[in-house]
Amino acid sequence: MKVLFILLYIIIAIQTQIHLCFGNVTATQMLILPLMIQETGSESWPRELNNLSFNHNVTLTVSLSVGTPQQNVTMVLDTGSELSWLQCNTTTGMARPMFDPTLSSTYTPVNCSSPTCTTQTRDFPIPTSCDSNKHCHAMLSYADATSSEGNLASDTFNIGASGMPGTIFGCMDSGSSSNSGEDNKTTGLMGMNRGPLSFVSQMNFSKFSYCIPGSDHLGVLVFSDGNSTWLKSLNYTPLIQISTPLPYFDRSAYTVQLLGFKVSEKMLPLPESILEPDHTGAGQTMIDSGTQFTFLVGPAYTALKNEFLNQTNGTLQVLNDPDYAFQGAMDLCYLLPLNQTNLPVLPSISIMLDGAEMNISGDKLLYTVPGEVRDNSWVACLTFGNSDLLGIEAYIIGHHHQQNLWIEFDLENSRVGIAPVQCDIASQKIGS
């Protein structure tokens, strides 16, 4: 049986009054991209080694065009990655839509002697390698043993009527995939972290924001150098920056200070030492649009799981299967009768950050596993997982728990703004 999943598509809609000048980018107004929800076939998305290694049922994607003449592409929007890349049309038999560099007059491979190739980044540690044409060779490896390989290149990325020439990206012409037989709908990935090769760094905007809809409504993605004057209630949490390289700390990630968790109004009694990075960098808290759910380090997850179990005792029937863990890391699951249409009242979970709070309630707390039926009941799992089970020593706040929140990445002031909003209303306010 083919299971249908949801993909969030960012559909480009540029208004005529927007003026953009790419290269040395300036913006007199906001660049606005609406989000819609659309169903598509099941797909698996590989993640980089220092991110999560499981299949994502929901991804955020942006549709734009690349090259001259323009070729339409769809890219996963990922604040947890740096290098943007496209699957290029130099091999056959690939199910994923591809970009053909031979058809673009503005496509330029990056030479091995280029500073872009010789400067160390998270994605390309020194030394880099060269192909037979002395082009900068790129190889990305993933935690599920898949890989993507090709060359660094530049081309014009077009958003509506505006273009950004000379954008650096990976043009991947080969690789292994955990889902090569699936009907993939995306051409590549758009890296949006703080690294020098990320898309937002190359665009040179001082901030970007998004609002992810929680149901069949419009959301919005905004690039802007201005203030969100219509939104008065943003609470800011500072971005943590560590200048010294640490083995398990991603300095390009959007890392924030975690203060703890509340279940209903009960603050979990967690020691401060497990809520912040240790001397190796392990234990950072990242906001990641490329991850679906939220993952906590082992001790914090255990405390949250036990308290949620305690507060739902007698309300929900626990799945009694110690060998079952959804996506390998979410092992608190319940049985919901097939004829049950509404969830009972559940205790809310709050993620407490320095200066801001993310409150998760209602249907965002449980995820019904597609096709998983036990004893005439659906299996529904808590949408928090144990990052230790994935071999990831970090807290990762996924986009499922960012629904109906305005998330502003203020790069100039090194902070993240968070405010609860209805994404369809936010879209109307910004588009008016």
Side-chain angles (χ1 to χ4, degrees):
M1 180 180 66
K2 185 177 182 180
V3 180
L4 287 180
F5 294 110
I6 295 175
L7 267 150
L8 301 176
Y9 279 91
I10 303 175
I11 308 299
I12 307 300
I14 306 301
Q15 299 182 359
T16 56
Q17 71 267 26
I18 295 175
H19 171 72
L20 294 172
C21 176
F22 290 111
N24 183 15
V25 179
T26 60
T28 58
Q29 297 190 40
M30 293 184 295
L31 174 58
I32 304 171
L33 302 90
L35 269 68
M36 293 195 314
I37 293 179
Q38 191 170 353
E39 287 189 350
T40 187
S42 169
E43 74 172 82
S44 164
W45 193 259
R47 300 285 294 160
E48 295 177 54
L49 282 169
N50 57 348
N51 287 321
L52 300 183
S53 57
F54 56 81
N55 299 345
H56 296 280
N57 301 327
V58 181
T59 54
L60 304 175
T61 67
V62 58
S63 298
L64 66 162
S65 64
V66 179
T68 308
Q70 299 177 14
Q71 301 176 47
N72 294 329
V73 299
T74 302
M75 306 175 72
V76 172
L77 182 73
D78 188 0
T79 60
S81 293
E82 178 177 354
L83 181 71
S84 300
W85 61 267
L86 298 171
Q87 184 67 46
C88 289
N89 189 20
T90 55
T91 60
T92 59
M94 300 291 291
R96 177 173 289 145
M98 291 174 283
F99 169 73
D100 190 343
T102 65
L103 300 180
S104 175
S105 63
T106 48
Y107 175 85
T108 305
V110 172
N111 192 280
C112 274
S113 61
S114 166
T116 301
C117 188
T118 58
T119 299
Q120 183 174 5
T121 72
R122 191 192 74 177
D123 288 343
F124 293 98
I126 299 298
T128 52
S129 60
C130 298
D131 66 9
S132 58
N133 296 315
K134 295 186 178 180
H135 296 156
C136 189
H137 191 68
M139 183 171 181
L140 301 177
S141 298
Y142 300 95
D144 60 358
T146 62
S147 62
S148 187
E149 190 169 357
N151 289 326
L152 279 189
S154 68
D155 210 331
T156 300
F157 280 59
N158 305 285
I159 300 178
S162 302
M164 186 169 69
T167 301
I168 302 296
F169 69 103
C171 191
M172 303 309 189
D173 56 22
S174 66
S176 61
S177 174
S178 61
N179 62 326
S180 58
E182 296 291 342
D183 182 21
N184 294 309
K185 304 297 182 183
T186 52
T187 317
L189 179 142
M190 180 179 288
M192 293 286 285
N193 71 10
R194 295 192 283 174
L197 291 183
S198 77
F199 193 78
V200 67
S201 294
Q202 293 190 65
M203 286 182 74
N204 201 33
F205 274 103
S206 64
K207 68 178 64 172
F208 69 96
S209 310
Y210 55 66
C211 190
I212 302 168
S215 57
D216 195 10
H217 296 292
L218 284 175
V220 65
L221 169 70
V222 175
F223 291 94
S224 175
D225 285 325
N227 295 320
S228 301
T229 54
W230 66 274
L231 193 62
K232 305 296 185 183
S233 59
L234 273 175
N235 292 316
Y236 287 97
T237 184
L239 288 169
I240 294 176
Q241 301 184 75
I242 296 179
S243 58
T244 304
L246 298 175
Y248 298 108
F249 189 90
D250 183 354
R251 290 189 293 167
S252 297
Y254 296 105
T255 301
V256 293
Q257 178 60 60
L258 179 64
L259 299 183
F261 302 91
K262 289 194 300 186
V263 181
S264 294
E265 292 303 313
K266 182 177 180 179
M267 194 77 177
L268 299 183
L270 298 173
E272 185 178 328
S273 60
I274 71 166
L275 298 174
E276 56 188 25
D278 63 18
H279 66 283
T280 70
Q284 70 185 113
T285 300
M286 298 177 281
I287 298 177
D288 185 3
S289 70
T291 297
Q292 184 177 359
F293 299 114
T294 295
F295 296 87
L296 318 180
V297 299
Y301 172 75
T302 299
L304 181 72
K305 171 184 173 179
N306 290 340
E307 184 59 35
F308 194 83
L309 268 171
N310 181 58
Q311 294 194 26
T312 55
N313 184 29
T315 302
L316 294 172
Q317 181 183 352
V318 178
L319 172 67
N320 187 22
D321 185 351
D323 297 324
Y324 183 80
F326 177 53
Q327 293 187 344
M330 302 160 72
D331 61 0
L332 177 53
C333 300
Y334 298 91
L335 293 175
L336 301 179
L338 295 178
N339 59 0
Q340 182 172 321
T341 57
N342 296 310
L343 286 172
V345 176
L346 300 174
S348 64
I349 296 177
S350 296
I351 303 173
M352 313 299 295
L353 305 175
D354 181 10
E357 178 178 340
M358 301 175 70
N359 183 268
I360 296 100
S361 61
D363 58 5
K364 286 194 291 185
L365 288 165
L366 295 181
Y367 179 80
T368 302
V369 182
E372 191 71 41
V373 178
R374 307 279 186 94
D375 300 328
N376 206 34
S377 298
W378 293 111
V379 173
C381 299
L382 183 68
T383 51
F384 289 79
N386 186 344
S387 62
D388 288 4
L389 295 178
L390 298 171
I392 308 296
E393 297 185 74
Y395 296 89
I396 301 177
I397 302 174
H399 63 70
H400 181 78
H401 292 154
Q402 299 175 43
Q403 293 176 13
N404 284 319
L405 291 175
W406 188 266
I407 309 289
E408 177 188 274
F409 297 85
D410 185 347
L411 308 178
E412 183 177 11
N413 296 302
S414 192
R415 61 184 185 173
V416 176
I418 300 172
V421 296
Q422 287 299 122
C423 289
D424 54 334
I425 296 176
S427 301
Q428 295 171 10
K429 286 181 176 291
I430 293 176
S432 61

